Amino acid sequence: MKTVLLTSTSYRHRYIGRCLQKHTDLKLVVTEAKSSRISETNSLTEEEALFQKQHFQNREEAEIEFFGQEELPSEILQLKLPHGEINSELTLEVLKDISPDYILLFGTSIIQKKLLDTFPNQFINLHLGLSPWYKGSATNLFPLIDGRPEFVGATFHLATTMVDAGAILHQFRPELKKDMGLHEIGNAVIEQAGEIFPKVLDKYNTGKIIPQKQKDSGIICRIKDLNIDKLRKAYKNFEKGMLVDYLNNKSLIDRDYPIISNL
């Protein structure tokens, strides 16, 4: 099964690439640089800037602890692009040359129609979050800001021009523990997603998964909507026992929001 991964540049993205390299014939990894962080530092107070810096430092350290700093295997062809260039003519031409069976997405800008039409039903997105309830960016952070850990998880779906709206192949919620923190939860989802992505792909390729259309509506999350106050709220929710309350009533809460599981 010949694959291409379109992704970004963090440790988490390299981890997914290594998982796919082990279990598929991964021919190319296209990396797109990330956009700016949640707030411009010069618009923050000194205390807010320190809080934001600490948040991202903790996130990076947690990613290194989970995924290591290992690079992608040197034998894999790589194409590095600036932010916003994932839909470039260069990308299209390289994909045509490789002619992969599947093009896998994790952490890129929205894929445009010209690419999707060239490879119909071949783009599969790993979305960190549970569609249709949370779509867009930082969709395992916004539920924690909202005090809704039941919406933390991942969704594998066919890519469309609409944000995280494609037919679903598989979803999961992570195994949470009461002492987990914000970064540990996010990385646990990614770790599990990397392990099962090849399995989802194999079952879809062999016709054992029939994509299911998304029916309910949700919210679109955007990085520009994040700010220091919202980020603080996520941490405060943990301090107030959000995760403990959820785990004590997990089965009842999850029942109201069933997910699509095909593994």
Side-chain angles (χ1 to χ4, degrees):
M1 189 190 316
K2 190 161 54 171
T3 63
V4 168
L5 173 64
L6 308 188
T7 189
S8 192
T9 57
S10 298
Y11 303 111
R12 63 177 64 188
H13 303 107
R14 297 182 209 167
Y15 163 74
I16 294 297
R18 296 195 301 271
C19 290
L20 292 170
Q21 189 267 343
K22 289 178 182 179
H23 301 286
T24 73
D25 185 13
L26 183 62
K27 294 297 187 182
L28 169 70
V29 175
V30 181
T31 55
E32 180 188 36
K34 279 292 187 185
S35 60
S36 60
R37 292 177 172 180
I38 62 173
S39 300
E40 293 297 331
T41 303
N42 58 12
S43 68
L44 303 177
T45 67
E46 182 178 350
E47 190 274 335
E48 288 172 337
L50 180 61
F51 175 80
Q52 177 174 284
K53 179 181 179 180
Q54 190 65 55
H55 166 77
F56 284 110
Q57 181 177 325
N58 290 343
R59 188 181 75 171
E60 181 175 11
E61 291 174 355
E63 283 200 16
I64 291 173
E65 182 177 351
F66 264 78
F67 310 122
Q69 301 182 66
E70 184 180 353
E71 297 288 345
L72 290 167
S74 59
E75 64 268 21
I76 298 177
L77 180 65
Q78 296 184 50
L79 174 62
K80 300 181 180 180
L81 300 174
H83 180 72
E85 293 296 316
I86 201 70
N87 292 289
S88 66
E89 288 298 323
L90 175 60
T91 303
L92 179 58
E93 291 306 314
V94 170
L95 291 177
K96 285 181 178 179
D97 287 342
I98 294 176
S99 188
D101 297 302
Y102 296 102
I103 303 163
L104 312 175
L105 309 174
F106 177 48
T108 69
S109 303
I110 297 173
I111 303 301
Q112 296 177 355
K113 189 174 187 296
K114 64 181 179 180
L115 288 178
L116 295 174
D117 287 348
T118 304
F119 301 92
N121 296 319
Q122 292 173 264
F123 279 90
I124 298 175
N125 185 42
L126 164 53
H127 167 60
L128 296 181
L130 294 180
S131 290
W133 300 291
Y134 282 79
K135 303 176 182 180
S137 301
T139 40
N140 276 336
L141 174 56
F142 276 101
L144 299 176
I145 294 171
D146 295 341
R148 306 295 300 274
E150 64 268 27
F151 293 122
V152 169
T155 302
F156 299 88
H157 66 85
L158 299 180
T160 68
T161 54
M162 298 179 65
V163 178
D164 299 321
I168 293 173
L169 306 181
H170 177 70
Q171 296 177 296
F172 70 87
R173 290 184 171 98
E175 293 185 9
L176 300 177
K177 299 179 181 178
K178 294 181 179 180
D179 60 348
M180 280 183 162
L182 187 152
H183 301 299
E184 189 175 5
I185 289 174
N187 289 334
V189 174
I190 297 165
E191 185 175 49
Q192 188 172 346
E195 294 171 354
I196 68 175
F197 203 167
K199 299 175 184 178
V200 172
L201 187 59
D202 182 67
K203 291 194 73 172
Y204 175 61
N205 185 56
T206 55
K208 296 176 182 177
I209 290 179
I210 305 300
Q212 297 187 39
K213 290 184 178 180
Q214 299 189 41
K215 299 177 181 179
D216 298 328
S217 60
I219 63 172
I220 303 295
C221 304
R222 299 176 176 87
I223 292 295
K224 67 179 183 179
D225 296 327
L226 276 175
N227 55 44
I228 295 298
D229 287 341
K230 289 182 179 179
L231 191 56
R232 286 189 193 278
K233 186 178 179 182
Y235 285 99
K236 288 179 181 177
N237 284 339
F238 279 92
E239 294 173 4
K240 292 178 181 178
M242 168 188 65
L243 192 56
V244 173
D245 291 343
Y246 166 63
L247 291 175
N248 286 340
N249 299 280
K250 187 178 189 303
S251 59
L252 290 175
I253 296 172
D254 290 353
R255 186 178 61 188
D256 291 334
Y257 305 99
I259 60 177
I260 296 169
S261 179
N262 283 307
L263 293 184

